[in-house]
């Protein structure tokens, strides 16, 4: 216990000098229009303790009661979620995607609630190989789960791990990004409309300090965000020997073979590179196209991207929203400029539009080479560099030449080739003749490769397993048979 308290003290130390307030910048105007007080050390510690106490009742309430509570939450989001949508729109500077986040959480609730009775049913007895010993497996949920969410999809990423954790019987403390804090207050109001979730779903405000502190208070932590921050969280979790689940950066490749449908492929690449202004870990960030099809595909993608509009003022609507976190724009700009200096050619876009906030024009870049930053580092903007390849082996080699391994895409009319190439890509999920399909379905046990993440899958039925431990009870059922270490009486043993 002394060791644990020491580690918690180390994790919580940065909060001793507490910040009075944190400024939030409006991504459309570029101005600070919101301030909040970060959750302090004492409040966070008390909240964690209260949540642990609440977890006992939540876990013992039974799966059916937990399902009902989450379905009540879904109904509350439908009827009271307008404030959440409005706040998300200001947080992120985009409207349609904010509404889609709210409806996406509603859909996710129904998915997990529908799967939970099958996945979390009482485990069957397991054979032991001993006719007189039975084995019964039981599950014990982690009491307190920490979920640290990013700024690109603030609501969806807050609940992607939270929902299965709640169904397992855990309670959750969510720390959204300090970049997008406005939606927290209306979300708390929606949660308050569901009494069964009181103390079960908890939201705290703050930045890196609160994230570090949370790692010192929970039993397991789920994080979505940058590789650098993910390493810090993994280190903090390792100090306490608690499990950690990380989904980090991506540099998702698309491979386009010579028999791919040009129109369909170009449309998919355009959407995959520019959805949410490219601010998704699942964005297509590099495309390798067979040399025989390269000119046609690059021309089609360029034409499509040139036709896209920005939502920059005075426009309210447009195809591409702002860069949510302004410092990210500088990283995108540096990558494009470095590629230009190294001989790359920008077919369209390539500029930052500053109109209060910052917008990146949809950009297609060719004449790139594999060692450029734009081909190696995560861009997180509506930018698609494209390279030709000669054969299947080269395409696979180029796609796997990355420190990342989140997901990817393959386009071909040959089903056997699709399957063969998918098995050779060092990524956790492959979309065949499409892109980013894991954004639309929870099935499949996708796990990240390399620097793209660590820990159990957050997709598919196995996602539940992250939030409980199993214990086995071994029972000698034979009254006639003594355990073998007492198989002889003391006189025999001494003979």
């Amino acid at each position: 216990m002394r060791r644990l308290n020491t580690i918690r003290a180390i994790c919580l130390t940065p909060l001793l000098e507490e910040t009075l307030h944190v400024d939030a910048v409006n991504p459309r105007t570029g101005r600070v229009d919101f301030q909040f007080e970060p959750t302090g050390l004492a409040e966070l510690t008390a909240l964690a303790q209260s949540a642990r106490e609440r977890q006992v009742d939540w876990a013992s309430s039974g799966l059916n009661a937990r399902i009902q509570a989450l379905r009540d939450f879904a109904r509350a989001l439908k009827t009271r979620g307008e404030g959440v949508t409005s706040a998300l729109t200001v947080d992120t500077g985009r409207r349609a995607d904010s509404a889609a986040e709210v409806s996406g959480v509603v859909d996710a609730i129904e998915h997990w609630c529908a799967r939970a009775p099958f996945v979390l049913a009482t485990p069957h007895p397991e054979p032991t190989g001993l006719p007189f010993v039975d084995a019964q497996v039981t599950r014990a949920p982690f009491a307190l789960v920490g979920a640290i969410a990013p700024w690109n999809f603030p609501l969806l990423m807050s609940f992607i791990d939270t929902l299965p954790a709640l169904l397992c019987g855990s309670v959750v403390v969510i720390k959204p990004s300090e970049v997008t804090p406005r939606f927290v207050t209306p979300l708390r109001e929606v949660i308050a409309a569901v009494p069964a979730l009181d103390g079960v779903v908890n939201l705290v405000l703050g930045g890196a300090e609160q994230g570090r502190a949370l790692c010192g208070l929970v039993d397991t932590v789920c994080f979505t965000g940058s590789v650098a921050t993910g390493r810090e969280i993994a280190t903090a979790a390792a100090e306490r020997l608690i499990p950690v689940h990380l989904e980090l950066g991506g540099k998702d490749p698309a491979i386009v073979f010579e028999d791919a449908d040009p129109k369909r492929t170009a449309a998919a690449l355009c959407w995959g590179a520019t959805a949410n202004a490219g601010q998704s870990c699942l964005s297509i960030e590099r495309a390798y196209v067979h040399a025989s099809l390269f000119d046609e595909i690059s021309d089609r993608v360029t034409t499509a991207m040139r036709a896209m509009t920005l939502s920059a003022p005075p426009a309210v609507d447009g195809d591409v929203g702002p860069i949510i976190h302004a410092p990210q724009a500088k990283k995108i700009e540096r990558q494009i400029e470095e590629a230009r200096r190294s001989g790359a050619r920008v077919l369209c876009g390539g500029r930052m539009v500053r109109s209060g906030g910052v917008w990146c024009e949809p950009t297609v870049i060719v004449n790139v080479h594999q060692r450029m930053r734009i081909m190696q580092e995560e861009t997180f903007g509506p930018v698609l560099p494209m390279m030709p390849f000669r054969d299947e082996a080269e395409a696979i080699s180029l796609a796997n030449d990355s420190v990342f391994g989140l997901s990817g895409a393959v386009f071909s009319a040959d089903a056997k080739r699709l399957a063969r190439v998918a098995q050779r890509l060092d990524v956790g999920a492959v979309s065949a003749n499409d892109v980013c399909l894991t954004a639309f379905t929870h099935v499949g046990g996708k796990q990240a490769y390399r620097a793209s993440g660590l820990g159990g899958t957050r997709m598919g039925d196995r996602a539940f397993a992250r939030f409980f431990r199993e214990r086995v009870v071994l029972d000698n059922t034979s009254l006639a048979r003594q355990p073998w270490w007492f198989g002889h009486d003391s006189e025999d043993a001494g003979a």
Side-chain angles (χ1 to χ4, degrees), residues 335-373:
Q335 287 187 14
I336 294 173
E337 289 309 309
E338 186 210 55
R340 275 187 170 127
R341 290 194 303 270
S342 299
R345 185 160 57 99
V346 177
L347 298 185
C348 68
R351 293 189 312 119
M352 296 293 165
V353 175
R354 290 175 168 84
S355 183
V358 186
W359 281 255
C360 179
E361 293 179 334
T363 301
V364 178
I365 304 179
V366 296
N367 291 356
V368 294
H369 62 74
Q370 194 69 1
R371 299 276 65 82
M372 288 180 177
R373 289 180 188 269

Side-chain angles (χ1 to χ4, degrees), residues 95-178:
R95 185 164 55 186
D97 286 344
S98 295
E101 279 200 68
V102 175
S103 61
V105 171
V106 171
D107 292 343
I109 289 170
E110 184 50 42
H111 166 80
W112 291 117
C113 287
R115 292 305 306 157
F118 298 97
V119 182
L120 300 179
T122 302
H124 295 292
E126 295 185 11
T128 64
L130 299 170
F132 54 91
V133 176
D134 288 343
Q136 184 64 50
V137 177
T138 60
R139 301 188 183 107
F142 289 102
L144 187 58
V145 174
I148 303 175
W151 46 258
N152 59 330
F153 290 100
L155 182 70
L156 272 174
M157 294 296 102
S158 290
F159 281 92
I160 191 168
D161 300 307
T162 294
L163 295 175
L166 294 173
L167 288 165
C168 286
S170 304
V171 298
V172 183
V173 178
I174 303 170
K175 192 206 80 67
S177 170
E178 70 276 19

Side-chain angles (χ1 to χ4, degrees), residues 27 91-94 97 101 150-154 156-157 179-180 224 248 250 270-285 311 319-330 332 352 358-360 378-383 406 436 439:
D91 272 331
T92 62
R94 56 352 180 232
D97 286 344
E101 279 200 68
W151 46 258
N152 59 330
F153 290 100
L156 272 174
M157 294 296 102
V179 176
T180 52
T224 306
L248 308 177
C270 180
W271 186 87
T274 62
N276 197 36
Q279 297 167 109
S280 170
C281 55
L282 300 175
S283 295
I284 296 298
E285 293 215 354
S311 68
D319 299 308
V320 180
I323 303 302
I324 297 170
H325 190 36
Q328 186 64 34
K330 295 180 181 179
I332 300 168
M352 296 293 165
V358 186
W359 281 255
C360 179
E378 186 173 38
T379 303
F380 228 61
V383 179
L406 194 60
C436 310

Side-chain angles (χ1 to χ4, degrees), residues 34 82 94 196 217 263 286 295 315 398 414 439 467:
F34 188 85
E82 197 171 309
R94 56 352 180 232
L217 295 168
K263 183 177 179 180
R286 50 198 172 109
D295 289 343
L398 289 169
D414 185 339
F467 303 111

Side-chain angles (χ1 to χ4, degrees), residues 21 38 46 63 126 136 142 160 218 230 232 244 251 282 302 306 341 378 384 408 432 434 491 493:
H21 68 265
L63 179 58
E126 295 185 11
Q136 184 64 50
F142 289 102
I160 191 168
V218 299
E232 291 185 20
V244 61
K251 192 69 180 176
L282 300 175
T302 301
R306 277 184 181 145
R341 290 194 303 270
E378 186 173 38
L384 184 64
D434 209 333
E491 292 183 0

